[in-house]
Amino acid sequence: MQDSASVGIVNPQVTHIDQPLTLKSGAVLNCYDLVYETYGELNAQRSNAVLICHALSAHHHVAGYHSEDQTTVGWWENMVGPGKPIDTNRFFVIGINNLGGCHGSTGPVSINPASGKPFGAGFPVVTVEDWVEQQARFATWLGIEQFAAVIGGSLGGMQSLQWGIAYTERVRHVLAIATTPKLTAQNIAFNDVARQAIITDPDFCGGDYYSHGVTPKSGLRLARMLGHITYLSDDAMAEKFGRDLRSGTYNFGYEVEFEIESYLRYQGDKFASYFDANTYLLMTKALDYFDPAHAYQGNLSSTLKNSKSAYLVLSFKSDWRFSPDRSREIVKALLDNNLDVTYAEMTCRHGHDSFLMFDEHYHDLMRAYMNNILL
Amino acid sequence: MQDSASVGIVNPQVTHIDQPLTLKSGAVLNCYDLVYETYGELNAQRSNAVLICHALSAHHHVAGYHSEDQTTVGWWENMVGPGKPIDTNRFFVIGINNLGGCHGSTGPVSINPASGKPFGAGFPVVTVEDWVEQQARFATWLGIEQFAAVIGGSLGGMQSLQWGIAYTERVRHVLAIATTPKLTAQNIAFNDVARQAIITDPDFCGGDYYSHGVTPKSGLRLARMLGHITYLSDDAMAEKFGRDLRSGTYNFGYEVEFEIESYLRYQGDKFASYFDANTYLLMTKALDYFDPAHAYQGNLSSTLKNSKSAYLVLSFKSDWRFSPDRSREIVKALLDNNLDVTYAEMTCRHGHDSFLMFDEHYHDLMRAYMNNILL
């Protein structure tokens, strides 16, 4: 079914953690489930483990398939597999669904043991720092003292950066792709419109829609449509859709008319049919909150002063959501600390979503960096 | 009350037009009202008339005040008045609310004479071409054969461009500011998210919310919040709001937290309290449809081949909604036709909204151009 460069059919695993986790908000999760997948083999020295951190809408299923059905493919199949840039013949790769997610790890849809009902609006807000704490504990449980690399794009890149700050002795290489040390006002503004779309949907029911037998599909659909625009570049949209009309002529009404409308509404509908609205809210808040330099008077160089990891920072010129300027801020702070840093700005035209797409230069760079990691 | 450079207190006027107007969609408006204001005096030669075309959310009330209440100020008070760049001591300036609007001209909120109820969803979609036709007829009714200038920003700029195409013999100078010869896929995408926010609001009631005693406030609020982000530049938002927190600390919830959230929600609420949702839908459709070169195989130079007007084209470097590249397309097409064209790209930092803001360089340029118009 799959090509030889795929890890093939994989089975997610679940672990139950009983050690209480105090979140940044002060809330405590007494116990929780984490769902994860692994690809490749942990070597005898336990020196080849790689953690993949997921972004807003993704999860633990990074590579391979869940069944013969090709649509069950992992979200980074083009990057992770035997012979691929993150080579599972060499590395033991871990994908994990973060707390607050809606793909198996404990989140708003999970049953709250205290009430016997879904957490819903009662699920605490989680931060990038919380996730990294959760990932570090999970690594310990798995017997991994140090990762060869922690890798992520976008919100995932924030997690890899946080590893370099909070757990530098446990990660030799931090790969931060299409990310930022903090959101701008514009970024936060887009997130707030998305959240308001969900929260003001009458079917949101204050976040406890599960018990009302409804979901805030309209709001979640709008949030996704809006998000999608910001993940693509103006040029990429112009190339793919331009002003193409579905019927070749104006219909002077509000049904789908331009191809771009059809595409966006379809993406919105699809997403709203499977993703949890409360998780969406949580993920956007985690994005907004991430600002590790805040505790250092906004000085990112000071924030990274104890980091000992090596870094690969990658940005995409067409990414206007987290533009190369943001990556340059990271690189500057790393250089201020005389850290080992490799940086590239790539020309892929897909905007922010470029980090998920196949591009020869991008993949060659990733491959070269990963191949140079000593085990 | 007002400074000496204001036209002072003005009274809107209404005219009833009985001549049927066939719209581009094929729909016919048998009669309609138009509300307008004028500032300054029409000279004896009738050669000093200037038409101001409004953008998405504006109207006929361009300058002056409707009462002693300062909040009744016109939307372009900084540009239009005695001694201002568009000098009412020299020009007879007209502001008019376009068909489909919600400020006095016939639109979805108006009573349909055929049914005795508001038009609502039954009001026909109008285009930039329809508005220019309506404006030309109105000018004839007012006894103005030729405008010294037709001026507009954004959607208003599309109307001034259309004047130079359809009625070039009736306009000596076309001033097209922060505009575009057509929307990109990204522009259309933002508009469609705004429309979907309104249409999927349960209080939209298929567009006939008037008879249900409700208005789709949530949807309109979201549409405005989203629009507002695209009117500002990333830099302007960073300068004005940055990551400032209302209470100085994270509250780990979904109430207003960042100042930018407070600002956007306030703007959205305010707008939704007075603007008509059906008008918003119509206005965004007019934006999407404008593409005068479409009838000329996409060739804007051919589209303008019969134009005899002189042009001032202005763009703002920080405008990412209608970027300077779009204005350059217009300028190129004008130059291809050896037309008289003045072009400037200005550095105002406010993004698309710069055309509404005071800026010395921008206003000096406008003043110089207007002062050079022969009467």
Side-chain angles (χ1 to χ4, degrees):
Chain A
M1 177 185 82
Q2 299 92 11
D3 63 67
S4 60
S6 176
V7 296
I9 292 180
V10 291
N11 292 308
Q13 302 173 66
V14 185
T15 178
H16 182 77
I17 313 269
D18 256 325
Q19 184 190 8
L21 181 67
T22 302
L23 304 172
K24 255 205 124 181
S25 67
V28 179
L29 281 172
N30 285 319
C31 58
Y32 50 93
D33 290 340
L34 292 175
V35 60
Y36 65 100
E37 290 180 9
T38 67
Y39 323 106
E41 299 294 328
L42 187 62
N43 63 12
Q45 306 91 319
R46 299 176 170 269
S47 67
N48 70 336
V50 168
L51 177 68
I52 310 286
C53 305
H54 70 79
L56 197 150
S57 59
H59 39 67
H60 56 288
H61 182 39
V62 176
Y65 298 79
H66 281 166
S67 72
E68 293 290 323
D69 178 2
Q70 293 274 325
T71 63
T72 66
V73 67
W75 59 268
W76 223 4
E77 174 73 358
N78 63 26
M79 186 65 84
V80 178
K84 289 185 175 168
I86 301 172
D87 189 347
T88 51
N89 289 332
R90 189 154 184 262
F91 293 105
F92 174 63
V93 180
I94 302 164
I96 184 169
N97 186 213
N98 283 328
L99 276 174
C102 55
H103 290 91
S105 291
T106 298
V109 298
S110 308
I111 299 298
N112 181 350
S115 69
K117 292 179 184 168
F119 280 98
F123 195 87
V125 168
V126 282
T127 64
V128 168
E129 291 88 334
D130 295 329
W131 285 331
V132 168
E133 180 62 29
Q134 154 234 299
Q135 290 160 0
R137 291 186 185 192
F138 173 76
T140 303
W141 172 83
L142 215 56
I144 294 161
E145 183 47 38
Q146 187 188 61
F147 282 109
V150 175
I151 305 175
S154 191
L155 177 56
M158 291 177 171
Q159 294 160 53
S160 64
L161 285 178
Q162 178 63 20
W163 268 91
I165 295 166
Y167 285 106
T168 185
E169 74 285 354
R170 297 191 63 181
V171 52
R172 297 202 300 283
H173 296 270
V174 169
L175 280 70
I177 309 168
T179 196
T180 175
K182 64 182 177 202
L183 295 200
T184 64
Q186 188 190 68
N187 294 149
I188 296 170
F190 278 124
N191 281 347
D192 198 49
V193 176
R195 284 190 294 264
Q196 289 295 303
I198 292 168
I199 288 170
T200 63
D201 183 328
D203 286 340
F204 182 64
C205 308
D208 291 319
Y209 44 88
Y210 317 101
S211 59
H212 293 77
V214 291
T215 53
K217 276 193 184 174
S218 289
L220 189 54
R221 171 179 181 265
L222 289 170
R224 182 61 166 185
M225 288 175 74
L226 171 55
H228 215 89
I229 301 175
T230 70
Y231 304 149
L232 300 177
S233 70
D234 193 15
D235 284 345
M237 287 176 102
E239 254 172 48
K240 192 167 173 184
F241 304 104
R243 294 178 52 86
D244 294 350
L245 293 163
R246 287 210 94 184
S247 66
T249 179
Y250 293 161
N251 62 27
F252 299 102
Y254 299 107
E255 297 303 312
V256 162
E257 193 151 24
F258 291 93
E259 289 291 354
I260 180 65
E261 296 173 323
S262 169
Y263 173 78
L264 273 188
R265 295 186 197 182
Y266 172 78
Q267 294 292 337
D269 285 332
K270 195 173 80 169
F271 187 73
S273 73
Y274 73 83
F275 205 83
D276 179 60
N278 279 318
T279 290
Y280 199 89
L281 294 177
L282 287 176
M283 295 282 166
T284 60
K285 269 295 180 186
L287 278 162
D288 288 4
Y289 285 147
F290 186 66
D291 182 10
H294 186 70
Y296 296 84
Q297 290 75 50
N299 188 325
L300 192 61
S301 302
S302 304
T303 314
L304 285 155
K305 68 178 185 295
N306 293 322
S307 191
K308 287 165 183 61
S309 311
Y311 287 79
L312 174 65
V313 181
L314 297 179
S315 69
F316 301 94
K317 286 181 183 164
S318 60
D319 183 355
W320 60 276
R321 190 166 168 120
F322 296 161
S323 77
D325 283 350
R326 303 287 89 78
S327 286
R328 288 176 188 211
E329 291 169 21
I330 299 167
V331 172
K332 188 193 167 297
L334 296 170
L335 292 176
D336 283 346
N337 286 294
N338 294 313
L339 289 168
D340 182 348
V341 54
T342 305
Y343 177 56
E345 276 175 30
M346 281 158 298
T347 51
C348 320
R349 294 170 65 85
H350 299 287
H352 186 59
D353 263 359
S354 295
F355 82 93
L356 295 168
M357 310 288 194
F358 175 78
D359 173 84
E360 202 166 344
H361 177 209
Y362 167 37
H363 279 222
D364 281 352
L365 247 163
M366 286 289 288
R367 185 191 312 272
Y369 192 91
M370 293 303 292
N371 283 348
N372 269 316
I373 292 179
L374 298 175
L375 300 186
Chain B
M1 178 186 80
Q2 299 91 13
D3 63 67
S4 60
S6 177
V7 297
I9 292 181
V10 291
N11 292 308
Q13 301 172 66
V14 184
T15 181
H16 181 77
I17 312 270
D18 257 325
Q19 186 190 7
L21 181 68
T22 301
L23 303 172
K24 258 205 122 180
S25 66
V28 179
L29 280 172
N30 285 318
C31 58
Y32 51 93
D33 290 340
L34 291 176
V35 61
Y36 66 100
E37 290 180 10
T38 68
Y39 323 106
E41 298 294 327
L42 187 62
N43 64 10
Q45 306 91 320
R46 298 175 172 270
S47 66
N48 70 334
V50 167
L51 177 68
I52 309 285
C53 305
H54 70 77
L56 198 151
S57 59
H59 40 64
H60 56 287
H61 183 38
V62 177
Y65 298 80
H66 281 166
S67 72
E68 293 290 325
D69 179 0
Q70 295 273 326
T71 63
T72 66
V73 67
W75 58 268
W76 222 4
E77 174 73 358
N78 63 26
M79 186 66 85
V80 177
K84 288 184 175 168
I86 301 173
D87 189 347
T88 51
N89 289 331
R90 191 156 182 259
F91 293 104
F92 175 63
V93 179
I94 302 164
I96 185 170
N97 187 214
N98 285 327
L99 277 173
C102 56
H103 290 89
S105 292
T106 298
V109 297
S110 309
I111 299 298
N112 181 350
S115 69
K117 291 180 184 167
F119 279 98
F123 195 86
V125 168
V126 283
T127 64
V128 169
E129 290 89 335
D130 295 330
W131 285 331
V132 168
E133 180 62 28
Q134 154 234 299
Q135 290 160 359
R137 291 186 185 193
F138 174 75
T140 303
W141 172 82
L142 215 58
I144 294 160
E145 182 48 38
Q146 188 188 60
F147 282 110
V150 175
I151 305 174
S154 191
L155 177 57
M158 291 178 171
Q159 294 160 55
S160 63
L161 285 178
Q162 178 62 19
W163 268 91
I165 294 166
Y167 286 106
T168 183
E169 73 286 352
R170 297 191 63 181
V171 53
R172 298 203 297 285
H173 296 270
V174 168
L175 281 72
I177 310 167
T179 195
T180 175
K182 64 182 180 204
L183 296 200
T184 64
Q186 188 191 66
N187 294 150
I188 296 170
F190 278 125
N191 281 346
D192 199 49
V193 176
R195 284 191 294 264
Q196 290 295 304
I198 293 169
I199 288 171
T200 62
D201 183 329
D203 285 340
F204 182 64
C205 306
D208 292 319
Y209 44 88
Y210 317 101
S211 59
H212 293 78
V214 291
T215 54
K217 275 192 184 174
S218 289
L220 188 54
R221 171 180 182 265
L222 290 170
R224 182 61 165 186
M225 289 174 73
L226 171 55
H228 215 90
I229 301 175
T230 71
Y231 305 150
L232 300 177
S233 69
D234 192 16
D235 284 345
M237 287 176 102
E239 254 171 47
K240 193 168 173 184
F241 305 104
R243 295 179 52 86
D244 293 350
L245 292 163
R246 287 209 95 184
S247 66
T249 179
Y250 293 161
N251 62 28
F252 299 102
Y254 299 107
E255 297 303 312
V256 162
E257 193 151 24
F258 292 93
E259 289 290 353
I260 180 65
E261 295 173 323
S262 168
Y263 174 78
L264 272 189
R265 294 186 198 182
Y266 172 78
Q267 294 291 338
D269 285 332
K270 195 173 78 169
F271 187 74
S273 73
Y274 72 83
F275 205 84
D276 178 59
N278 280 317
T279 290
Y280 199 89
L281 295 177
L282 286 176
M283 295 282 165
T284 60
K285 269 293 180 187
L287 278 163
D288 288 4
Y289 285 147
F290 187 65
D291 183 10
H294 187 68
Y296 296 84
Q297 289 75 49
N299 188 324
L300 192 61
S301 302
S302 305
T303 314
L304 286 156
K305 68 178 184 294
N306 294 321
S307 192
K308 288 164 183 61
S309 311
Y311 286 78
L312 175 64
V313 181
L314 298 178
S315 69
F316 301 95
K317 287 181 183 162
S318 59
D319 182 355
W320 59 277
R321 187 164 169 122
F322 296 161
S323 78
D325 283 349
R326 303 286 89 78
S327 287
R328 289 177 187 212
E329 292 169 20
I330 299 167
V331 171
K332 188 194 168 298
L334 296 170
L335 293 177
D336 284 345
N337 287 293
N338 293 312
L339 288 166
D340 181 349
V341 54
T342 304
Y343 177 57
E345 273 174 33
M346 280 159 299
T347 50
C348 320
R349 293 170 67 84
H350 300 288
H352 186 59
D353 263 359
S354 295
F355 82 94
L356 295 167
M357 309 288 195
F358 175 78
D359 173 84
E360 203 166 346
H361 177 210
Y362 167 38
H363 279 223
D364 281 352
L365 245 164
M366 286 290 287
R367 186 191 311 271
Y369 191 91
M370 293 303 292
N371 283 349
N372 270 315
I373 292 179
L374 299 176
L375 301 186

